[in-house]
Amino acid sequence: RSDEGGGEPCAAYLMQGGHIANVEMLRDGPDEGLIEQAKHLFKEHNTVSQYDGFEVWSGKRFVYREPPINRRG
């Protein structure tokens, strides 16, 4: 987890049916800020399109997934 922006391109990948359906660039910043930006975009886009969830990436580093993957046995 990173608390400071690292200058890497940050993106929210909006998912539909397990595939990337849209990509939105995010303003670089702490992970919590990236997640909040992505949640806002997800909510905003879901008034027009029906996305299943989203992933947040900071460069090549995975930050967050909504909904989380259930990793039961």
Side-chain angles (χ1 to χ4, degrees):
R1 186 177 88 69
S2 173
D3 288 326
E4 301 199 18
E8 293 283 339
C10 303
Y13 295 89
L14 302 172
M15 311 297 287
Q16 194 170 48
H19 300 281
I20 297 170
N22 195 3
V23 179
E24 291 285 340
M25 301 310 292
L26 305 173
R27 291 180 310 278
D28 192 21
D31 288 354
E32 291 79 9
L34 297 175
I35 293 166
E36 287 306 312
Q37 288 179 64
K39 286 181 178 181
H40 175 77
L41 287 167
F42 178 72
K43 185 176 180 180
E44 186 176 273
H45 280 283
N46 263 351
T47 62
V48 177
S49 301
Q50 289 300 311
Y51 295 113
D52 304 330
F54 62 90
E55 291 186 357
V56 177
W57 288 76
S58 178
K60 296 178 182 178
R61 183 177 63 85
F62 170 77
V63 176
Y64 181 80
R65 178 180 294 118
E66 180 70 36
I69 291 178
N70 187 353
R71 299 202 181 265
R72 286 189 215 167

